[in-house]
Amino acid sequence: MVFGGLGLDMPLRPKWKPSSASSIASGSQLEFNWLAKSQGWLKLWLSRDKLDPDPDPSDSEEVVYFYNSIAAVPCYILRSYQPDMIAALALKWVLSTNRKFNQINPVFGLSFFHTSSSSSEVVIALGSNVGNRINNFTNALSLMEESGINVTRHACLYETAPAYVTDQPRFLNSAVRAFTNLGPHELLTVLKGIEKDLGRRGDGIRFGPRPIDLDILFYGKFRICSDVLTVPHERIWERSFVMAPLIDLIGKDVDNDTVACWHSMSVDSGGIFESWEKLGGESLIGDDELKRVLPVKDRFIDFNGKTSVMGILNLTPDSFSDGGKFQSVENAVGQVKLMVSEGADIIDIGAQSTRPMATKISADEELERLIPVLEKIVEIPEMENKLISVDTFHSAVATEVVNNGAHLINDISAGKLDDNMFNTVAALNVPYIAMHMRGDPTTMQNKGNLKYSDVCKQVASELYSQVREAELSGIPAWRIIIDPGIGFSKNTDQNLGILSGLPIIREEISKKSLGLSHVPILIGPSRKRFLGEISGRPNAADRDPATVAATTAGILSGANIVRVHNVKDNVDAAKVCDALMKQKKSGHGF
């Protein structure tokens, strides 16, 4: 049976099958004060059909469920039944269970569930430990969309140790929020079909290896208990590898009443958050049992375990720091080899200058600079296990560079300068770095673009809007990296505020999405003008010591990736910061 609401786990099954002649608007919602109308409803109740001892919906009937904040009221009704009569029958059921009036919410909400046009918000967990695990996820999401399951939110990606049956490969786990018109058992059938299509066998070991596992964690506001389906999923509360992605799908601020219902279904009075904290919460993340990872190339990178250093390779003639030095393929390859030898984890290649007032070039000209260098870099033996990022805001460039070996797209505009960028990156299935900027390089330092009442909160809000749009376009949270845009649309004080205020940015985003608040943060203060203003170094090349100070502050504030010109010194700084934070996490910190 299926039932919704708060506080009633196993309602009695009402046994009546009424008849009437009025139509019900599918998916409508009524609210009314039962105290004001109860006398009329009771009279109506007394005049209606006798109870049917064994209701059996035929083709002309449809199961409809009621809920309110105290009583859950399931019943069988005809599609063509008057709303007032439905209300009467709901009240009749409440009275038949001998409930006291003070147990019922004065405002009784009716919801017609699983009608032909109704849509329910659901949470579906994903797991895989056989074959190409991330491809299994990607293919499952694609098949879900084709089957009428509209994914709207993604959790982060977790690599986890196997549970219950431990002699098997490690799992990838995540979860999604989605809307669907499918009923709960229809949804279950669809998901089982997808599992079969992706190679899961029905005779496998329980809790054993599987190419894909799709579980319904929540279905709308309803509890479900049948021979084949239990919702909420009965083992949610004991499984950290389920709870971690589930937490990612909600924000600290409850965004709708469906989410409020999910919290109410927790085994703990404090809702899902309390259940997560009882398991260990964020302290669980990072150990061998549960790692938050980002899929890049054929690897899964834990950006929380070690600060990554991104070395800058400018192929432009007019960059503010090293313009013109690496325009030849030979010089560019030599610089890449140097940065890799000094400890760079990622090489970020840019062929379009984004300094203030820089002249914009076309995608074709950008590619003319990029492709010859990229083709050589991917062949360098030293680049094994290293990553290549391309700094571009052109979607056409993104497609070409990924097809030629790039692993990440670094977009200073977070999709604002090319309407096709989000859909392009979603199709490419590569990580996407979304940076905060107002305007474009020619306008970003205009007086209007430098106005903030609270720079960290506003950057967080504006950046969140862009990454949410990216997510809705098909870029899952587990492929997103955010950059608050130091030096872009900010003055010196605002840049300093960002460096020390990364926790505020995460906290602001977490109010709307804990998953997006957990994604890696990249900062790029290297040799920027504000450092010269503070240190009195007008020449950009003289700002490396100031850069080390800035990256150190950023790492200790929560940055996961630092983008720099001078790799060697910043690798050393990152190692010291990582050691300090590891000591602090162990309880022996500063």
Side-chain angles (χ1 to χ4, degrees), residues 129-253:
N129 74 334
V130 173
N132 189 319
R133 298 172 296 172
I134 192 62
N135 278 0
N136 292 340
F137 277 20
T138 301
N139 292 335
L141 291 178
S142 178
L143 291 172
M144 286 164 61
E145 291 284 352
E146 292 174 11
S147 303
I149 304 166
N150 179 27
V151 175
T152 57
R153 289 188 184 227
H154 308 74
C156 295
L157 194 66
Y158 295 86
E159 190 170 43
T160 64
Y164 310 113
V165 178
T166 57
D167 186 19
Q168 59 177 316
R170 292 175 65 81
F171 275 84
L172 280 187
N173 291 101
S174 192
V176 296
R177 273 170 71 173
F179 284 90
T180 184
N181 289 333
L182 298 170
H185 290 86
E186 289 178 292
L187 177 60
L188 178 64
T189 300
V190 166
L191 296 180
K192 293 304 178 187
I194 292 172
E195 290 179 345
K196 184 177 180 180
D197 290 344
L198 295 180
R200 184 170 181 182
R201 296 171 52 188
D203 58 353
I205 301 171
R206 181 169 170 78
F207 304 126
R210 68 211 72 172
I212 193 69
D213 187 20
L214 302 172
D215 288 323
I216 304 171
L217 302 185
F218 289 109
Y219 187 98
K221 302 173 184 176
F222 303 92
R223 295 181 183 271
I224 303 172
C225 182
S226 73
D227 292 340
V228 295
L229 180 62
T230 300
V231 175
H233 193 279
E234 56 191 351
R235 294 183 179 270
I236 288 178
W237 320 111
E238 69 185 49
R239 296 175 171 178
S240 60
F241 61 87
V242 176
M243 286 296 293
L246 174 59
I247 283 289
D248 286 343
L249 295 176
I250 58 181
K252 291 183 177 179
D253 295 340

Side-chain angles (χ1 to χ4, degrees), residues 56-373:
D56 180 19
S58 65
D59 292 339
S60 65
E61 297 176 319
E62 188 162 337
V63 182
V64 178
Y65 301 93
F66 302 94
Y67 72 91
N68 75 358
S69 62
I70 298 296
V73 188
C75 67
Y76 286 94
I77 68 167
L78 294 177
R79 287 183 184 177
S80 58
Y81 213 72
Q82 276 191 341
D84 278 355
M85 176 52 62
I86 298 169
L89 292 173
L91 180 61
K92 171 182 176 179
W93 181 85
V94 174
L95 295 175
S96 72
T97 62
N98 297 317
R99 289 179 172 273
K100 294 181 180 179
F101 289 136
N102 62 9
Q103 290 179 289
I104 305 170
N105 192 313
V107 178
F108 196 100
L110 278 84
S111 180
F112 306 134
F113 168 67
H114 187 26
T115 56
S116 58
S117 64
S118 64
S119 182
S120 293
E121 190 168 17
V122 301
V123 175
I124 299 170
L126 299 89
S128 175
N129 74 334
V130 173
N132 189 319
R133 298 172 296 172
I134 192 62
N135 278 0
N136 292 340
F137 277 20
T138 301
N139 292 335
L141 291 178
S142 178
L143 291 172
M144 286 164 61
E145 291 284 352
E146 292 174 11
S147 303
I149 304 166
N150 179 27
V151 175
T152 57
R153 289 188 184 227
H154 308 74
C156 295
L157 194 66
Y158 295 86
E159 190 170 43
T160 64
Y164 310 113
V165 178
T166 57
D167 186 19
Q168 59 177 316
R170 292 175 65 81
F171 275 84
L172 280 187
N173 291 101
S174 192
V176 296
R177 273 170 71 173
F179 284 90
T180 184
N181 289 333
L182 298 170
H185 290 86
E186 289 178 292
L187 177 60
L188 178 64
T189 300
V190 166
L191 296 180
K192 293 304 178 187
I194 292 172
E195 290 179 345
K196 184 177 180 180
D197 290 344
L198 295 180
R200 184 170 181 182
R201 296 171 52 188
D203 58 353
I205 301 171
R206 181 169 170 78
F207 304 126
R210 68 211 72 172
I212 193 69
D213 187 20
L214 302 172
D215 288 323
I216 304 171
L217 302 185
F218 289 109
Y219 187 98
K221 302 173 184 176
F222 303 92
R223 295 181 183 271
I224 303 172
C225 182
S226 73
D227 292 340
V228 295
L229 180 62
T230 300
V231 175
H233 193 279
E234 56 191 351
R235 294 183 179 270
I236 288 178
W237 320 111
E238 69 185 49
R239 296 175 171 178
S240 60
F241 61 87
V242 176
M243 286 296 293
L246 174 59
I247 283 289
D248 286 343
L249 295 176
I250 58 181
K252 291 183 177 179
D253 295 340
V254 176
D255 54 295
N256 60 43
D257 57 351
T258 299
V259 175
C261 272
W262 297 344
H263 278 291
S264 76
M265 294 178 192
S266 168
V267 295
D268 297 294
S269 60
I272 297 170
F273 295 137
E274 183 179 344
S275 299
W276 172 232
E277 289 304 318
K278 282 187 175 181
L279 281 176
E282 271 298 297
S283 67
L284 297 175
I285 308 298
D287 63 23
D288 197 51
E289 297 291 312
L290 186 65
K291 292 185 177 181
R292 189 178 288 131
V293 296
L294 188 140
V296 192
K297 196 177 174 182
D298 55 356
R299 293 188 289 146
F300 297 94
I301 299 177
D302 177 8
F303 281 106
N304 293 301
K306 168 187 172 295
T307 301
S308 294
V309 176
M310 174 185 280
I312 300 169
L313 179 67
N314 285 318
L315 306 181
T316 57
D318 57 345
S319 289
F320 77 93
S321 173
D322 50 10
K325 286 187 176 182
F326 309 115
Q327 285 186 278
S328 74
V329 173
E330 182 180 0
N331 286 350
V333 169
Q335 178 66 5
V336 169
K337 289 182 177 180
L338 174 63
M339 290 191 290
V340 169
S341 71
E342 292 177 340
D345 303 290
I346 309 167
I347 301 298
D348 187 54
I349 310 172
Q352 172 108 236
S353 178
T354 55
R355 62 176 174 77
M357 302 307 298
T359 302
K360 180 179 178 181
I361 64 172
S362 68
D364 288 340
E365 186 175 354
E366 192 175 345
L367 286 168
E368 287 175 6
R369 296 175 181 178
L370 278 168
I371 297 301
V373 174

Side-chain angles (χ1 to χ4, degrees), residues 454-517:
D454 187 313
V455 66
C456 289
K457 289 184 177 181
Q458 286 177 265
V459 165
S461 176
E462 293 168 21
L463 197 50
Y464 173 79
S465 295
Q466 290 306 112
V467 294
R468 269 299 287 151
E469 186 178 339
E471 187 178 19
L472 290 170
S473 299
I475 305 175
W478 64 66
R479 293 193 191 275
I480 291 176
I481 297 168
I482 59 174
D483 178 349
I486 292 172
F488 290 81
S489 311
K490 286 103 185 164
N491 60 30
T492 296
D493 286 342
Q494 291 159 352
N495 287 320
L496 292 173
I498 293 291
L499 276 174
S500 62
L502 298 182
I504 298 173
I505 292 175
R506 286 199 190 274
E507 179 64 23
E508 283 299 304
I509 294 175
S510 74
K511 293 176 182 178
K512 299 176 181 178
S513 169
L514 280 158
L516 290 174
S517 78

Side-chain angles (χ1 to χ4, degrees), residues 474-586:
I475 305 175
W478 64 66
R479 293 193 191 275
I480 291 176
I481 297 168
I482 59 174
D483 178 349
I486 292 172
F488 290 81
S489 311
K490 286 103 185 164
N491 60 30
T492 296
D493 286 342
Q494 291 159 352
N495 287 320
L496 292 173
I498 293 291
L499 276 174
S500 62
L502 298 182
I504 298 173
I505 292 175
R506 286 199 190 274
E507 179 64 23
E508 283 299 304
I509 294 175
S510 74
K511 293 176 182 178
K512 299 176 181 178
S513 169
L514 280 158
L516 290 174
S517 78
H518 290 150
V519 304
I521 290 182
L522 179 152
I523 58 167
S526 187
R527 298 180 179 176
K528 292 206 169 151
R529 179 179 298 177
F530 81 101
L531 296 178
E533 291 177 357
I534 294 170
S535 62
R537 303 289 183 182
N539 186 349
D542 295 333
R543 300 171 189 163
D544 285 345
T547 298
V548 169
T551 56
T552 296
I555 294 168
L556 295 178
S557 185
N560 308 100
I561 307 167
V562 293
R563 182 179 181 272
V564 295
H565 298 85
N566 181 328
V567 168
K568 182 179 178 180
D569 292 345
N570 284 282
V571 165
D572 289 348
K575 288 178 179 178
V576 173
C577 290
D578 289 347
L580 286 167
M581 291 189 295
K582 183 178 180 180
Q583 185 184 61
K584 183 179 181 180
K585 187 176 181 180
S586 69

Side-chain angles (χ1 to χ4, degrees), residues 372-425:
V373 174
L374 182 59
E375 289 176 340
K376 291 297 182 181
I377 290 175
V378 297
E379 296 174 353
I380 300 174
E382 292 89 340
M383 286 300 295
E384 185 177 0
N385 295 323
K386 303 296 181 180
L387 302 176
I388 300 172
S389 167
V390 170
D391 186 350
T392 184
F393 50 76
H394 286 304
S395 60
V397 172
T399 298
E400 287 301 313
V401 297
V402 170
N403 290 339
N404 281 275
H407 308 118
L408 303 89
I409 297 300
N410 183 7
D411 180 3
I412 63 162
S413 76
K416 289 183 176 181
L417 297 182
D418 188 330
D419 292 339
N420 294 321
M421 181 61 90
F422 291 156
N423 289 332
T424 297
V425 174

